Amino acid sequence: MAHTIVTDVCEGVADCVSACPVACIHEGPGKNVKGTDWYWIDFSTCIDCGICLQVCPVEDAILAEERPELQKIAE
């Protein structure tokens, strides 16, 4: 199961982007409700390795489950 970046919690630190071994984390357009950049995980590419969880400094920004209702994506 893929991981989820909670759009409204993400602060755009982006440590997860360079750490992801399959490049499934992408920048979202615009700002989130906090006024920060945000990222999203492509569920179809994520291999559930958990590296993003380990490197993200923002508490509860990434969940170890697929929760599409909490993650906006670029369309």
Side-chain angles (χ1 to χ4, degrees), residues 18-30:
S18 59
C20 180
V22 294
C24 71
I25 303 173
H26 309 282
E27 186 173 6

Side-chain angles (χ1 to χ4, degrees), residues 25-68:
I25 303 173
H26 309 282
E27 186 173 6
K31 306 290 183 186
N32 63 11
V33 297
K34 294 169 95 172
T36 64
D37 294 332
W38 57 278
Y39 290 80
W40 61 281
I41 293 176
D42 182 344
F43 296 144
S44 66
T45 309
C46 179
I47 60 171
D48 194 29
C49 67
I51 293 172
C52 57
L53 287 166
Q54 296 170 28
V55 301
C56 182
V58 182
E59 187 174 346
D60 298 325
I62 303 176
L63 304 178
E65 58 187 316
E66 192 171 316
R67 299 280 306 274

